[in-house]
Amino acid sequence: MRVTRRRAGRAAALAAAASLLLAACGGGDIDSGDSGGSAGGADCGDFNMAINPWVGYEASAYVVGEVAAQKLGCNTNYLKLKEEIAWQGFGSGKVDVVIENWGHDDLKKEYVDKQETAVVVGPNGNVGVIGWYVPPWLAEANPDITNWENLNKYASDFSTAETGDKGTLWDGDPSFVTNDEALIENLKLDYEVVYAGSEAALIQGFRNAEKNKEFYLGYFYEPQWFLSEVPLVKVDLPAWEEGCDADPATVACDYPEYILDKIASADFMASGSPAADLVSNFTWTNDDQNQVALYIANDGMSGEDAAQQWIDDNPDKVDAWING
Amino acid sequence: MTATVDDVGAAASTDGQSALTVNNLWKVFGPRADKIVGSPEADLSRADLLAQTGCTAAVRDVSFEVSPGEVFVVMGLSGSGKSTLVRCLTRLIEPTAGQVLIDGEDVVSMSDTRLRELRRHHVSMVFQHFGLLPHRKVIDNVGYGLEVRGTSKADRRSRAQEMVDLVGLSGNENAYPDQLSGGMQQRVGLARALAVDPSILLFDEPFSALDPLIRRDMQNEVIRLHHEVGKTMVFITHDLSEALKLGDRILIMRDGALIQMGTPAEVVATPADDYVRDFVSEVPRSHVLTLAWVMRPPRPDEALTGPEMAPDTIVRDAARRVIDAADPVKVVDNGQLLGVVDQDDILRVIVAEETPS
Amino acid sequence: MTVELTEIEHPAAEAPVPQDDEGGGRLRWIALGVVVVVWVILGVIFHGKGTQDLPVSQLTAFQEWLNELRNTIEDAKFNGNPIFLPIDWLSEALDWTVTQLQNLFVSDSSRPQGVAQVGWAGVVALAVWVAYALSGLRIAILALAVMLSFGWLGYWEQSIDTLIITGVSVVICVIIGLPTGIWMSRSKRVTSVLTPVLDTMQTMPSFAYLGPLVLIFGIGNPGAVVATLIYALPPLIRISAYGLSTVSPSTVEATTALGSTSTQLMTKVQLPMARRTIIVGLNQTIMAALSMAIIAAFIAGPGLGIPIIDALSVLNVGIAFVSGMCIVFMAIMLDRATSAAGERSEATSRREVNGQRRRLILGISAAVAVVVVAISHNQLRWNVFPDSEWGRRIANWVNDATDTISNSIGQFTRWLSDAFTEVFLNPPFGLDAWFVDAPWWLVSLGILAVAILLGGAGKEATPRLAAAVALGAAAVLMSGYWADSPLDMSWVIYWGAVVALLIGSSAVGGGGALIPTAASISLIFAVGLWNDSMVTLTMTLVATLFVMIFGIVVGVWMGRSRRVDATVRPFLDGLQTLPALVYLVPALAFFPAGRFLAIIAAVLYAAPVAIKITADGVRSVAGPTVEAAQSLGSSRWQMIGKVQLPMSKGSIVLSANQGLLFVLSMVVIGGLVGGGGLGFLVINGFSQREDFGKGLAAGIAITALGIMLDRITVHTAARYGRADTA
């Protein structure tokens, strides 16, 4: 016992000495070095980018976020949020930007018009299409299938165990913009909606259907990288006219063409942050987005890496955003 | 003769203030229990009362007095209300009606603070299942009562150590309860009760969870402690031989009510009813009865030359000398001849036990 | 562990109804058979009528009212209603606390490159030291391995974030939960009021309250902490109340007799004596907090939930697997550390002889830890965890394997999914025929009849029956199906009645299953989601059937052999600690979206509990009984069939109870992958503003289903499960 204690005491003394030694050596390589990668623009601060749950959105968000981080010295935070939750974050300053917004007139009414916590910054250059799609083999084998009026004819072919004798219309994440339930009812289609749960699940469904020559009808959208892998064919619903989708309960027409826009926190846009200008200036094409989305979804790159790749390949476009 | 016996038996009876007085104590469990006492329903039998009101009278109309320094035993079978009775004394169970006076002060009407004072300083209790704190050492268990009343650590340690020594646990003060045998654990319980130096000690069947041999040791321990510290004790038991061994007086309960109260010899010699008679039938009378109970006036033809003995001598202890003596033994108290006892008288008591009555 | 918990969960379980004689029992089984036959026949006759199917885009008056309530709250907050002052203050305080801890241990934006004040090496040193101090050398080594694995797997920062959210929530849980537990242990009335509240907290699906939480506390740290808190608090309250109220009454009496005040009684007697049980509660709370901290990623809570959600949205099984590994390791570390700390605290307090030496070692190791912390503050190498390829490599490997497997079995799994759905769910054979496609009145009466026959009507059955009927009538009137709900605000009255009945029936002894079942059915009807609830109920029942099959087969196997037990148990532990979300990713990779997928995930999630409880039940069949049966020449199957299973009947009913509740919670998550029913509505309500009210209503319906299933099984267990405990 005595021995142990003495030995332990010695060890304690040793440890104390070591810590003294370290203190004497002074700081390490962190504080002494220069402030590393974050170049210049220390006035940017935090830049909170919402990430809505589809890959196309991720592509836009990571490119803008990485440009802000690298060229403007912002501390970019990515927040994985569904649309509605993201919009709620504008007021509290937790979210600065939603970079790709599909319509959402209800949210605009609440947060832009009423609370005035959000502002519409303008289109981001992408044009959105929402609709019902079938795999290409199916459109080729049955050309009339792309007309909605013939869908009932094929209802039993589209049926699954989930919907019994009715046809299945696969939808994605419940947060996606959709009128499908009402459309089926109002167009008197013999179908039922089943939510696959995510974009990825829809893609897997389409991919399997094409490979195995199976019937598959699903909600899908452009811009979308997957269309370059499997060129899905859109089913024509009754053409969209102004106001035909005003009442969600009676809607019986196709989705409009969405001019996708950027929504930002009002405080953020007024803050004078260089990132606010970047967001204002940011615009790119569907092809640009598809390219980055392909990196992410197909090549398994992380959002940051995929954005980096595109930024490196397109310096002129990036410069245009920064220099206005 | 009865008068004589009373004088002999109630050894502790004094003319001073009693240590504990209980007057018409009731405890009724059940809905609207407080309405029962004083109503006609109070006279119903236990089963009828339960059927008619849903209430159970655990203690019904019990009164008694305990003198300072007396060992008072309350005895009955399980369910007779004896444990409830003893808990009513310090309001661990609130009595429904009646009066409990300790050192002349009414416990029932005490404020919570005053009641706590009473529990901390005047009355402590030893429990059947010990009720020790498993996370504390023996010494800290013993010192618990001092701790809650705010005694400094040093003082309570030294006092607790005294108590540990007193109950014969020296050397075990740093053990934990689960490292001790049942008997030793109860010694801890005893030491804990003694540590606060109470004027009254209550025992609720303290030894019934112990082995017979250890139980006997512990009974002797209580007798020894009573000699050493001289506390007033109220002792609950269902074991008649324990009651006879320890008690100066015995109160026998059945269904919550008092059936008989008296000295051990009284109870054995003159059972109040069949219930008590049945109880005491197995008791070796020679171990309980004193000479006062078997003596008789001397017959004219008897020579009063035999040895003298005190009237409270137990028959068993006197037997050898009475049988050996040529003449009847004189029973003498304060120089006054009360009666005589001869061989036949003694044998009658002893032989009667051999033949079932 | 689970058995303890489940027994603890119903401390107020009423005194069992006296055992019926054999004849009564048989009569009841016959009656049950009659009920089923009548149900089936009427189900065929009235197929598809009165199913109360509410189209997805349609909302009942009640659901609209919830929407308005939400808007009112949002407006109030926006207009700076003073009610929100303390709430805002609270959420800022929470945010500040979490952010400070993140600056300290994860990343501080005020430092160059945003490095943390204490780097990874310092954090590891601190964790190991704390583990050593509280739980001993073995746990310290475990902590070292686990902490390093976070970095090697590539999720260092996320793991520490999760630890921070879990830690802050657990601390608040203790601050709130312990006093509440004490309060509950002292008052029957408080218990009967709080029990339904705690039930609701535990069965209400988290997605149903994530939305309102965001509304009130905002996204990010505060919302994450509060959500975690809500889910993690009940076990601590329940178990500590149970522990405190079961402290040896003789000790309480003895110390009261010595004049303890009630505070002295609590601090010197009850709390120390209940310490072990309270630590069990703390352990459960930590586990619950960890699993909820993952789901909090849906409202931008930091931590390991983020890669999991990512993996779910791009179907990356590898990422889900690797981040799931981090969670499992973390859970194992926290579980073992708290259990060991519980056992140790007693042991160390007794071993005074070594006290000085122990203090010395602790002091020295603390000094070393401080040195490491200092180094990690200054040296980049010890601050930022070195890049590691391991996580990515494992993820890629898993992804490749998944691709190979799903390519080769994809056809088969789709066939299996279809076949299963047709056989077990879809009419004419599947359960849907008798729940989803049958008229509401038939199903309600059927469920009530089964509840009464199994779980009893309780004492004074007639008034209870009358109350149940009245409740049902009120629900039908108010559901808004028949009238355009003229009774708008009388919802308040209705709620009052339901809550009063639930509390009343749990407060009055010998309640039986009738009242809770009737109240639950009425509630489901009243929130306007009858049909969706039946979809969920069907899935729950089918999944539970399979859970019970696994539970009994594997449980008996484990219960009879220590070796099997030792081999299988770690897998069960792993499955149990894996957050529900993580299952979905591989399940979705192998099976098509739909109810079958949700059922598979639910079975995976719930089977371990059922297996463990059954195994413990079989093992606890008394040795002498087994010996006696052996001496009479029982064969192995006779032993299982005639001795071990019948004698562990109580455990089996208990495992059915736990199985049902676990399945129900997972079936909700199944709404993320095409499970439909209430689960989808809850998720949908979280995702779409205009469906908020419907989502919350679905959450209420799930809670009602949970309470109903729980009470029926608990009361059934109370009536039939006594045989093996006697």
Side-chain angles (χ1 to χ4, degrees):
Chain A
M1 185 71 193
R2 272 186 66 101
V3 179
T4 331
R5 270 175 64 183
R6 199 179 300 156
R7 204 178 287 158
R10 210 178 293 157
L14 217 76
S19 72
L20 274 174
L21 199 75
L22 255 153
C25 284
D29 54 1
I30 292 181
D31 289 316
S32 52
D34 70 339
S35 44
S38 50
D43 54 339
C44 177
D46 281 343
F47 177 45
N48 299 317
M49 173 66 78
I51 308 265
N52 291 167
W54 60 93
V55 178
Y57 185 105
E58 270 188 62
S60 304
Y62 276 106
V63 167
V64 174
E66 288 308 294
V67 169
Q70 292 168 18
K71 313 281 176 182
L72 306 176
C74 304
N75 177 35
T76 306
N77 300 313
Y78 299 104
L79 303 157
K80 318 253 171 190
L81 292 169
K82 303 202 176 206
E83 291 101 304
E84 139 115 68
I85 306 287
W87 285 61
Q88 285 185 27
F90 288 140
S92 61
K94 292 287 172 65
V95 173
D96 292 331
V97 178
V98 166
I99 201 72
E100 175 183 311
N101 172 55
W102 293 64
H104 283 305
D105 291 335
D106 54 337
L107 296 179
K108 282 181 181 163
K109 206 170 110 196
E110 176 72 29
Y111 298 104
V112 178
D113 301 340
K114 189 167 153 201
Q115 297 198 7
E116 298 178 349
T117 50
V119 289
V120 178
V121 183
N124 71 3
N126 293 143
V127 177
V129 176
I130 295 179
W132 297 357
Y133 289 76
V134 290
W137 80 267
L138 192 56
E140 212 165 289
N142 308 286
D144 63 339
I145 210 167
T146 58
N147 184 341
W148 70 272
E149 288 176 85
N150 298 322
L151 280 178
N152 274 346
K153 195 169 84 183
Y154 295 99
S156 61
D157 294 313
F158 282 111
S159 75
T160 62
E162 279 306 306
T163 55
D165 40 358
K166 290 183 175 175
T168 303
L169 169 61
W170 293 94
D171 264 37
D173 185 306
S175 67
F176 292 170
V177 173
T178 173
N179 299 326
D180 291 355
E181 304 265 359
L183 279 173
I184 284 176
E185 181 147 343
N186 298 332
L187 294 175
K188 307 219 169 0
L189 294 176
D190 209 4
Y191 285 76
E192 231 177 81
V193 173
V194 176
Y195 286 82
S198 65
E199 181 185 75
L202 282 176
I203 287 175
Q204 177 148 323
F206 277 120
R207 197 181 266 149
N208 283 335
E210 177 63 13
K211 194 173 77 186
N212 304 320
K213 303 280 176 277
E214 289 163 347
F215 278 69
Y216 195 94
L217 176 66
Y219 168 102
F220 218 53
Y221 39 86
E222 300 172 37
Q224 172 57 262
W225 64 273
F226 180 65
L227 296 181
S228 64
E229 180 186 325
V230 179
L232 302 179
V233 181
K234 189 166 179 289
V235 174
D236 295 321
L237 294 171
W240 181 84
E241 295 161 24
E242 187 66 44
C244 75
D245 54 357
D247 179 5
T250 60
V251 57
C253 59
D254 206 343
Y255 294 87
E257 194 167 81
Y258 290 92
I259 305 299
L260 306 186
D261 49 6
K262 301 166 284 191
I263 312 293
S265 147
D267 290 343
F268 168 73
M269 290 313 284
S271 69
S273 160
D277 294 333
L278 170 66
V279 171
S280 296
N281 295 337
F282 168 73
T283 166
W284 67 349
T285 65
N286 283 14
D287 288 342
D288 289 331
Q289 193 196 69
N290 285 341
Q291 182 61 54
V292 179
L294 193 67
Y295 291 148
I296 297 175
N298 219 30
D299 303 347
M301 289 165 87
S302 72
E304 287 91 339
D305 292 349
Q308 187 64 57
Q309 176 91 39
W310 190 89
I311 292 169
D312 291 346
D313 292 347
N314 298 277
D316 45 333
K317 292 188 184 175
V318 173
D319 282 347
W321 300 336
I322 291 176
N323 302 323
Chain B
M1 171 158 150
T2 324
T4 342
V5 171
D6 268 356
D7 285 347
V8 176
S13 161
T14 60
D15 41 7
Q17 203 184 23
S18 71
L20 167 70
T21 307
V22 172
N23 290 327
N24 308 100
L25 191 72
W26 284 82
K27 176 63 199 180
V28 183
F29 292 106
R32 286 190 292 280
D34 49 324
K35 298 281 188 291
I36 304 288
V37 183
S39 75
E41 276 137 0
D43 298 328
L44 292 172
S45 76
R46 167 174 284 213
D48 289 344
L49 183 68
L50 184 64
Q52 289 187 17
T53 65
C55 289
T56 310
V59 177
R60 30 167 92 209
D61 203 18
V62 172
S63 305
F64 60 89
E65 269 186 43
V66 181
S67 312
E70 185 180 5
V71 179
F72 186 82
V73 175
V74 178
M75 209 218 100
L77 297 178
S78 57
S80 61
K82 56 190 190 304
S83 288
T84 309
L85 173 66
V86 76
R87 280 168 174 72
C88 286
L89 300 183
T90 56
R91 282 169 55 193
L92 288 174
I93 292 176
E94 286 293 336
T96 311
Q99 203 182 25
V100 176
L101 300 174
I102 290 180
D103 295 335
E105 195 180 355
D106 186 9
V107 175
V108 178
S109 59
M110 272 181 188
S111 69
D112 282 357
T113 322
R114 184 74 195 101
L115 180 63
R116 224 165 17 239
E117 284 302 298
L118 178 85
R119 289 172 179 172
R120 285 178 177 181
H121 296 279
H122 299 296
V123 185
S124 56
M125 189 160 167
V126 179
F127 293 84
Q128 180 179 5
H129 298 294
F130 322 142
L132 301 180
L133 296 166
H135 57 285
R136 290 175 167 228
K137 290 178 201 163
V138 165
I139 188 117
D140 294 324
N141 263 292
V142 173
Y144 182 86
L146 301 166
E147 183 182 334
V148 295
R149 71 188 195 198
T151 313
S152 76
K153 183 160 184 174
D155 287 356
R156 65 174 192 255
R157 280 269 168 143
S158 73
R159 171 76 183 162
Q161 186 62 50
E162 274 173 43
M163 291 304 117
V164 169
D165 296 340
L166 182 65
V167 298
L169 283 177
S170 308
N172 290 303
E173 51 276 346
N174 285 324
Y176 284 85
D178 58 7
Q179 297 164 331
L180 302 178
S181 70
M184 289 163 90
Q185 289 188 37
Q186 193 56 295
R187 283 171 196 263
V188 178
L190 196 56
R192 177 175 64 184
L194 286 170
V196 297
D197 195 21
S199 55
I200 300 180
L201 270 169
L202 309 177
F203 295 81
D204 179 28
E205 302 201 41
F207 309 139
S208 54
L210 303 178
D211 293 341
L213 282 178
I214 296 173
R215 191 183 312 162
R216 205 181 58 197
D217 284 351
M218 292 299 293
Q219 287 162 355
N220 294 333
E221 186 75 22
V222 168
I223 292 171
R224 179 178 72 84
L225 285 172
H226 187 240
H227 280 302
E228 284 183 26
V229 298
K231 307 280 183 203
T232 310
M233 296 182 176
V234 176
F235 198 103
I236 308 294
T237 181
H238 64 260
D239 177 357
L240 183 67
S241 62
E242 189 168 79
L244 296 172
K245 181 171 180 178
L246 299 177
D248 291 328
R249 282 190 304 148
I250 300 173
L251 185 161
I252 298 178
M253 285 179 80
R254 185 181 57 184
D255 287 353
L258 185 156
I259 301 293
Q260 185 173 12
M261 182 162 59
T263 62
E266 269 180 302
V267 170
V268 172
T270 58
D273 63 3
D274 287 348
Y275 177 74
V276 182
R277 189 166 300 120
D278 203 29
F279 239 126
V280 301
S281 63
E282 296 289 309
V283 174
R285 294 155 63 90
S286 59
H287 292 194
V288 178
L289 293 186
T290 55
L291 293 184
W293 285 94
V294 292
M295 67 187 184
R296 55 181 168 74
R299 281 192 290 270
D301 57 325
E302 276 173 325
L304 295 175
T305 54
E308 291 185 0
M309 295 180 83
D312 58 350
T313 315
I314 304 284
V315 169
R316 183 180 55 176
D317 301 335
R320 173 64 39 199
R321 284 178 68 193
V322 173
I323 291 168
D324 286 350
D327 296 319
V329 169
K330 293 182 287 184
V331 180
V332 178
D333 188 29
N334 290 334
Q336 195 186 349
L337 179 67
L338 302 175
V340 296
V341 179
D342 68 6
Q343 291 179 8
D344 288 348
D345 301 321
I346 293 291
L347 286 174
R348 207 174 298 126
V349 175
I350 295 175
V351 174
E353 282 161 7
E354 311 278 308
T355 53
S357 46
Chain C
M1 181 167 95
T2 324
V3 174
E4 262 170 10
L5 171 69
T6 47
E7 279 173 357
I8 286 162
E9 273 187 347
H10 301 288
E14 292 88 307
V17 179
Q19 280 284 305
D20 300 83
D21 54 311
E22 272 301 301
R26 197 170 304 138
L27 209 64
R28 192 170 305 118
W29 287 114
I30 294 171
L32 210 57
V34 171
V35 167
V36 171
V37 169
V38 170
W39 191 338
V40 166
I41 292 172
L42 289 178
V44 170
I45 295 174
F46 293 100
H47 182 85
K49 299 206 175 70
T51 59
Q52 302 300 347
D53 197 359
L54 182 71
V56 173
S57 49
Q58 198 177 319
L59 270 67
T60 67
F62 173 63
Q63 294 158 10
E64 296 280 9
W65 178 71
L66 287 179
N67 269 345
E68 275 161 38
L69 190 66
R70 175 201 186 283
N71 293 340
T72 313
I73 293 172
E74 190 168 21
D75 288 349
K77 184 172 168 90
F78 175 67
N79 294 327
N81 190 308
I83 290 176
F84 282 91
L85 272 177
I87 291 176
D88 288 345
W89 179 83
L90 179 67
S91 53
E92 260 159 49
L94 288 176
D95 203 9
W96 183 85
T97 310
V98 174
T99 310
Q100 291 308 309
L101 288 168
Q102 285 175 320
N103 287 345
L104 204 53
F105 298 123
V106 184
S107 164
D108 186 343
S109 53
S110 69
R111 297 196 74 195
Q113 299 163 52
V115 299
Q117 296 291 343
V118 178
W120 68 269
V123 175
V124 171
L126 288 176
V128 170
W129 187 80
V130 170
Y132 176 70
L134 292 178
S135 317
L137 189 62
R138 277 184 45 211
I139 304 297
I141 294 169
L142 176 71
L144 178 69
V146 168
M147 296 296 287
L148 289 177
S149 78
F150 296 155
W152 280 326
L153 292 172
Y155 290 103
W156 173 260
E157 295 193 351
Q158 289 90 336
S159 301
I160 304 304
D161 273 337
T162 296
L163 275 176
I164 289 174
I165 294 287
T166 308
V168 171
S169 309
V170 168
V171 168
I172 302 175
C173 275
V174 172
I175 294 172
I176 301 175
L178 211 50
T180 315
I182 291 172
W183 198 29
M184 243 175 109
S185 74
R186 292 186 157 192
S187 155
K188 269 224 155 79
R189 201 172 311 155
V190 173
T191 306
S192 58
V193 171
L194 281 185
T195 302
V197 176
L198 296 177
D199 282 344
T200 309
M201 285 164 80
Q202 282 185 306
T203 47
M204 177 72 86
S206 39
F207 282 102
Y209 55 76
L210 280 185
L213 276 188
V214 169
L215 203 61
I216 295 169
F217 292 96
I219 58 170
N221 297 332
V225 170
V226 177
T228 308
L229 197 61
I230 292 178
Y231 185 68
L233 193 52
L236 182 64
I237 295 183
R238 285 202 148 127
I239 298 176
S240 53
Y242 170 81
L244 289 170
S245 62
T246 51
V247 163
S248 155
S250 59
T251 307
V252 172
E253 192 173 43
T255 43
T256 311
L258 285 163
S260 310
T261 60
S262 61
T263 317
Q264 285 171 331
L265 196 63
M266 186 52 68
T267 55
K268 292 175 192 287
V269 181
Q270 289 169 304
L271 281 176
M273 285 180 76
R275 182 169 58 183
R276 264 163 176 275
T277 321
I278 292 173
I279 290 179
V280 170
L282 185 67
N283 175 297
Q284 297 287 322
T285 284
I286 292 175
M287 294 294 117
L290 182 56
S291 68
M292 192 62 202
I294 304 301
I295 291 195
F298 275 100
I299 52 172
L304 287 165
I306 292 171
I308 303 251
I309 297 184
D310 249 2
L312 189 62
S313 75
V314 299
L315 272 191
N316 191 326
V317 182
I319 289 182
F321 183 82
V322 175
S323 36
M325 271 166 76
C326 290
I327 296 168
V328 170
F329 291 161
M330 191 182 294
I332 291 175
M333 173 177 79
L334 294 174
D335 176 53
R336 302 294 186 273
T338 39
S339 312
E343 278 158 30
R344 235 181 112 81
S345 58
E346 226 149 290
T348 44
S349 73
R350 285 189 177 199
R351 239 185 290 130
E352 276 211 315
V353 206
N354 289 342
Q356 206 159 12
R357 184 177 155 207
R358 189 178 133 78
R359 266 196 293 278
L360 204 70
I361 295 177
L362 280 180
I364 295 165
S365 49
V368 173
V370 169
V371 171
V372 176
V373 166
I375 295 173
S376 78
H377 178 80
N378 288 327
Q379 306 277 342
L380 195 59
R381 190 149 52 107
W382 303 106
N383 191 298
V384 178
F385 204 96
D387 264 343
S388 158
E389 281 296 309
W390 278 104
R392 239 164 296 169
R393 249 181 249 169
I394 296 174
N396 288 340
W397 182 80
V398 170
N399 279 337
D400 291 346
T402 309
D403 284 348
T404 317
I405 297 172
S406 71
N407 280 337
S408 55
I409 66 167
Q411 297 271 37
F412 168 72
T413 53
R414 252 169 292 153
W415 170 83
L416 185 66
S417 170
D418 285 353
F420 184 95
T421 311
E422 289 296 349
V423 172
F424 288 100
L425 296 172
N426 286 354
F429 308 112
L431 274 185
D432 272 5
W434 323 118
F435 288 94
V436 182
D437 296 338
W440 62 270
W441 49 266
L442 176 62
V443 182
S444 320
L445 290 178
I447 293 175
L448 270 181
V450 171
I452 293 172
L453 288 171
L454 287 179
K459 282 182 238 156
E460 294 153 11
T462 327
R464 282 167 193 277
L465 213 57
V469 170
L471 203 61
V476 170
L477 271 178
M478 295 189 185
S479 67
Y481 280 115
W482 275 268
D484 220 7
S485 191
L487 302 160
D488 248 3
M489 283 310 290
S490 54
W491 285 110
V492 181
I493 301 168
Y494 178 76
W495 285 109
V498 170
V499 170
L501 265 174
L502 282 177
I503 292 175
S505 63
S506 78
V508 179
L514 170 64
I515 288 288
T517 307
S520 303
I521 289 178
S522 311
L523 203 55
I524 289 168
F525 204 87
V527 299
L529 294 171
W530 178 262
N531 194 263
D532 291 293
S533 301
M534 290 305 110
V535 171
T536 297
L537 180 59
T538 313
M539 285 165 63
T540 306
L541 292 177
V542 171
T544 306
L545 174 72
F546 282 87
V547 166
M548 290 315 294
I549 291 173
F550 283 121
I552 291 174
V553 171
V554 184
V556 168
W557 193 37
M558 277 171 68
R560 288 173 52 86
S561 154
R562 290 242 167 236
R563 192 151 18 114
V564 174
D565 191 294
T567 326
V568 177
R569 204 169 274 262
F571 288 98
L572 300 181
D573 287 341
L575 274 176
Q576 262 187 305
T577 44
L578 214 53
L581 279 177
V582 179
Y583 292 125
L584 286 183
V585 186
L588 199 53
F590 294 131
F591 296 95
R595 285 173 292 171
F596 177 64
L597 176 58
I599 288 175
I600 287 187
V603 171
L604 275 176
Y605 183 61
V609 193
I611 292 172
K612 279 186 186 173
I613 296 177
T614 311
D616 291 341
V618 170
R619 177 148 324 115
S620 68
V621 171
T625 317
V626 172
E627 238 171 31
Q630 248 160 5
S631 75
L632 289 168
S634 308
S635 73
R636 175 199 299 189
W637 292 108
Q638 282 170 331
M639 181 72 84
I640 294 175
K642 291 184 190 297
V643 180
Q644 288 173 319
L645 272 185
M647 286 187 73
S648 40
K649 200 164 58 174
S651 309
I652 292 173
V653 181
L654 188 65
S655 71
N657 171 284
Q658 290 298 295
L660 276 169
L661 295 180
F662 273 63
V663 162
L664 189 62
S665 70
M666 190 65 191
V667 159
V668 174
I669 303 275
L672 282 169
V673 292
L678 297 174
F680 167 74
L681 292 178
V682 169
I683 306 279
N684 193 39
F686 172 66
S687 311
Q688 299 276 9
R689 186 183 174 82
E690 64 269 28
D691 290 328
F692 166 82
K694 203 167 187 180
L696 188 54
I700 296 168
I702 285 170
T703 306
L705 273 182
I707 289 178
M708 177 180 94
L709 294 171
D710 175 71
R711 296 299 189 271
I712 293 178
T713 41
V714 164
H715 286 284
T716 309
R719 280 159 63 114
Y720 299 98
R722 289 283 139 178
D724 59 318
T725 48

